[in-house]
Amino acid sequence: MVVAAADRVLLVVVRGIPDLVYALLFVAALGLGPYAGFLALWISSTALAAKFFADSLEQLDPLPHEALTSVGARRWQAFAAGIWPQFVPSFTGNGLFVADLALRESVVLGIAGAGGVGYLMQESIATLRYDTTAAVVIAIAVVVYAIETLARIARRHLL
């Protein structure tokens, strides 16, 4: 109980710091480049995903697990048949949402100097290469659409 409360506080603190602050810290520590952006997104995305997953676990119905253990199922069997099927759809949807969000945030961090596709976009705008800018925007839109399509397919198969 105390560990769960401490974890929640840590997640709130980590999520409360904007990605741009993490990016600036990592750029100062590591210099310009994709590693700074990756680390900034990794921290914020992991904290967001952990919050989603913790919320999902709290919403699970304990009755299937309890019923399975009461009839003699081993712990892993009760988990595999009683908990996991309830958790997988939320896990998949939230995981893909966080990946989608991280992709879109990477553009902002790249523009801020953390490297990656955002840096490419900023550079193409600064050099008046609007064909490259358009290609980057289209590529981002295609990847976001692909992630959304994967999430829809996964939800259809898992529900």
Side-chain angles (χ1 to χ4, degrees):
M1 193 68 107
V2 173
V3 173
D7 286 346
R8 283 286 185 167
V9 168
L10 178 64
L11 287 175
V12 167
V13 169
V14 171
R15 284 185 316 114
I17 299 171
D19 296 339
L20 196 53
V21 172
Y22 287 124
L24 293 173
L25 290 172
F26 285 119
V27 165
L30 302 172
L32 289 175
Y35 299 117
F38 169 78
L39 290 173
L41 285 176
W42 178 70
I43 287 174
S44 64
S45 296
T46 301
L48 182 62
K51 184 225 183 297
F52 283 154
F53 298 152
D55 289 347
S56 296
L57 286 172
E58 288 176 357
Q59 299 299 321
L60 296 180
D61 183 9
L63 293 178
H65 183 266
E66 292 171 4
L68 289 165
T69 54
S70 70
V71 295
R74 291 196 167 93
R75 219 176 142 142
W76 67 270
Q77 291 172 322
F79 173 79
I83 300 295
W84 188 246
Q86 294 181 66
F87 181 66
V88 168
S90 175
F91 178 81
T92 304
N94 289 334
L96 289 170
F97 172 74
V98 171
D100 177 353
L101 185 62
L103 171 73
R104 288 182 283 118
E105 287 176 349
S106 71
V107 175
V108 175
L109 292 180
I111 290 171
V117 71
Y119 179 74
L120 178 63
M121 180 182 265
Q122 178 194 25
E123 191 174 276
S124 68
I125 291 170
T127 59
L128 305 177
R129 296 291 315 257
Y130 296 121
D131 56 333
T132 304
T133 304
V136 170
V137 170
I138 291 168
I140 291 168
V142 166
V143 171
V144 168
Y145 180 76
I147 290 172
E148 183 60 32
T149 301
L150 279 173
R152 197 173 336 106
I153 290 168
R155 278 189 222 105
R156 191 175 315 129
H157 288 292
L158 295 173
L159 294 178

